[in-house]
């Protein structure tokens, strides 16, 4: 199960990792090459950087949607459990009332 804080940390790490230098300016601060097209800079490097940003934006959006759906499933599950527990509680309270009524009936005899 993925917790909210772990998901936020993962998403923040992705954004921070790719925010070095200007878009399409070549190698980032990680010491590695940004690839031959990005190293050359210019329009192709900027276009590749824009595609990369779009990819990670869409990936982050999908992860947030998945996290939202997962949390909603958990909420629904706990609501169902709550309803089931309420039914069991009512059944037990009814049975206790029946036992008390039987005890009173036995006491009158």
């Amino acid at each position: 199960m993925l917790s909210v804080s772990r998901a936020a940390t993962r998403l923040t790490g992705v954004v921070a990792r790719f925010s070095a230098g200007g878009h399409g300016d070549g190698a980032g601060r990680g010491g590695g090459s940004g690839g031959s097209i990005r190293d050359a800079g210019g329009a192709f490097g900027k276009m590749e950087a824009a595609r990369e940003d779009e990819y990670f934006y869409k990936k982050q959006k999908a992860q947030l949607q998945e996290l939202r759906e997962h949390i909603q499933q958990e909420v629904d599950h706990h609501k169902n459990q709550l309803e089931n527990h309420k039914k069991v509680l009512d059944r037990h309270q009814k049975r206790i009332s029946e036992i008390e009524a039987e005890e009173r009936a036995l006491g009158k005899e």
Side-chain angles (χ1 to χ4, degrees):
M1 181 168 67
L2 184 65
S3 70
V4 176
S5 62
R6 285 181 60 201
T9 302
R10 285 174 56 189
L11 294 174
T12 304
V14 169
V15 172
R17 191 171 118 203
F18 293 102
S19 62
H23 288 350
D25 287 344
R29 67 175 171 212
S33 172
S36 60
I37 292 177
R38 293 200 59 187
D39 285 344
F44 285 114
K46 289 183 186 259
M47 185 172 62
E48 187 62 29
R51 284 186 184 146
E52 188 176 288
D53 288 344
E54 180 183 8
Y55 169 80
F56 284 106
Y57 171 79
K58 287 179 180 179
K59 185 167 185 77
Q60 182 181 18
K61 192 172 180 180
Q63 287 174 336
L64 288 172
Q65 179 64 30
E66 183 179 323
L67 181 61
R68 180 184 301 120
E69 290 171 1
H70 177 72
I71 292 172
Q72 185 60 50
Q73 287 174 353
E74 286 189 6
V75 166
D76 294 341
H77 171 73
H78 290 296
K79 282 182 180 179
N80 288 336
Q81 280 188 327
L82 181 63
E83 288 300 318
N84 290 338
H85 288 302
K86 284 181 180 180
K87 289 176 185 177
V88 171
L89 181 63
D90 289 342
R91 189 170 61 239
H92 288 316
Q93 287 175 336
K94 181 179 177 184
R95 183 65 183 135
I96 288 172
S97 296
E98 290 171 357
I99 291 171
E100 289 172 348
E102 288 178 23
E103 288 175 342
R104 284 192 301 271
L106 288 175
K108 290 183 180 179
E109 293 178 7

